[in-house]
Amino acid sequence: MATKSVIHRNKKRERMVARFASKRAALKKIIADPSVSEEEFYAAQAKLSKLPLPLRTEAARAAVASVLSDSRVQPAEVRFLEKLYKALGLPQDEVYA
């Protein structure tokens, strides 16, 4: 059974993810849009990388889930995930895990 502190910490993370959900979604939309200029792309990546770690991890998981949704992973999608993980300051080897 989980201790009260672990349960409290998890609830705190969930509240933080919910609080920043709209901001994270807007930044991810900019990053995923191929018609966005490089300047806007990198600005959105920089803002996304400044979010707290649980939010960055959640954004990366959402991107992986969207890539895996059609059960086929294209090389361009892998490159996108590598760039996203690098921009978020997350280990790039987790892309292949």
Side-chain angles (χ1 to χ4, degrees):
M1 184 167 174
T3 63
K4 289 184 179 183
S5 64
V6 173
I7 294 169
H8 179 67
R9 189 176 345 141
N10 191 37
K11 287 182 180 180
K12 182 179 176 182
R13 284 182 188 140
E14 289 173 356
R15 286 193 307 266
M16 184 174 22
V17 168
R19 188 174 68 211
F20 287 102
S22 62
K23 183 176 183 178
R24 187 181 77 241
L27 292 171
K28 282 176 34 182
K29 184 178 178 181
I30 292 170
I31 290 172
D33 187 5
S35 65
V36 171
S37 69
E38 282 190 35
E39 184 178 299
E40 292 173 342
F41 176 83
Y42 289 120
Q45 277 187 335
K47 289 179 184 177
L48 195 58
S49 69
K50 291 180 183 177
L51 293 176
L53 181 61
L55 297 176
R56 291 184 281 150
T57 305
E58 188 66 30
R61 285 185 189 152
V64 169
S66 66
V67 166
L68 295 175
S69 65
D70 64 353
S71 301
R72 295 197 300 177
V73 180
Q74 304 294 328
E77 293 172 329
V78 173
R79 287 191 298 273
F80 165 74
L81 289 175
E82 289 173 342
K83 285 174 53 176
L84 180 63
Y85 270 73
K86 182 178 179 182
L88 294 175
L90 300 172
Q92 290 180 348
D93 58 338
E94 289 184 10
V95 171
Y96 303 101

